[in-house]
């Protein structure tokens, strides 16, 4: 049963923009957090961004701060990651993930997330 569905990946050129979406098919309640991670070939999975569902508070890694923006649509149960000024270093498989109740110090820790999407490929190349 697919619970987190990601979409929006693709091939773009450096400097271009891309938007990723993640929709949760399950009910959303409690201290729900939706996050994005990415994994490039030969590298460990790294935190990109996250949003607290109730408050809308957002978190970003230093590598994407100022270029990426995360938002959520409560009605559609969808989080959107708007990625601008993409660089070749942004090439990776992007995964959305969900946790309930992560404290701020664990927002960027993959092990704190309970559910994961299947991933979507983002390739930035000229």
């Amino acid at each position: 049963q697919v619970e987190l569905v990601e979409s929006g990946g693709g091939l773009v050129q450096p400097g271009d923009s891309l938007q990723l979406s993640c929709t949760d098919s399950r009910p959303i309640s409690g201290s729900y957090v939706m996050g994005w991670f990415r994994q490039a070939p030969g590298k460990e999975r790294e935190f990109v961004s996250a949003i607290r569902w109730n408050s809308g508070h957002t978190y970003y890694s230093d590598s994407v701060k100022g270029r990426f923006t995360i938002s959520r649509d409560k009605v559609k149960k969808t989080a959107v990651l708007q990625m601008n000024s993409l660089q070749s270093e942004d090439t990776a498989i992007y995964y959305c993930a969900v946790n309930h109740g992560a404290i701020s110090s664990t927002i960027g820790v993959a092990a704190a997330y309970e559910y994961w999407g299947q991933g979507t490929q983002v390739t930035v190349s000229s």
Side-chain angles (χ1 to χ4, degrees):
Q1 181 180 357
V2 178
E3 297 171 328
L4 294 177
V5 179
E6 300 137 334
S7 62
L11 170 64
V12 296
Q13 294 185 340
D16 284 353
S17 298
L18 204 59
Q19 189 177 86
L20 305 183
S21 297
C22 179
T23 300
D24 194 338
S25 62
R26 301 162 302 139
I28 294 177
S29 62
S31 303
Y32 183 99
V33 174
M34 186 175 283
W36 287 95
F37 289 75
R38 66 187 182 186
Q39 188 165 18
K43 294 187 177 182
E44 293 186 355
R45 191 168 297 191
E46 65 170 352
F47 171 73
V48 175
S49 181
I51 187 166
R52 291 194 183 274
W53 213 253
N54 287 337
S55 66
H57 191 80
T58 58
Y59 302 82
Y60 298 96
S61 67
D62 289 341
S63 61
V64 307
K65 198 173 296 182
R67 299 189 298 124
F68 291 11
T69 303
I70 190 170
S71 60
R72 90 281 196 228
D73 184 323
K74 286 187 172 182
V75 174
K76 296 180 179 179
K77 297 192 293 181
T78 297
V80 173
L81 185 68
Q82 176 65 41
M83 305 185 294
N84 298 329
S85 303
L86 284 163
Q87 306 162 2
S88 57
E89 305 85 79
D90 296 315
T91 295
I93 299 175
Y94 283 69
Y95 299 89
C96 73
V98 164
N99 76 61
H100 295 84
I103 58 177
S104 295
S105 61
T106 63
I107 285 289
V109 178
Y113 288 76
E114 302 145 24
Y115 303 100
W116 291 81
Q118 78 283 0
T120 185
Q121 177 71 47
V122 172
T123 303
V124 185
S125 175
S126 55

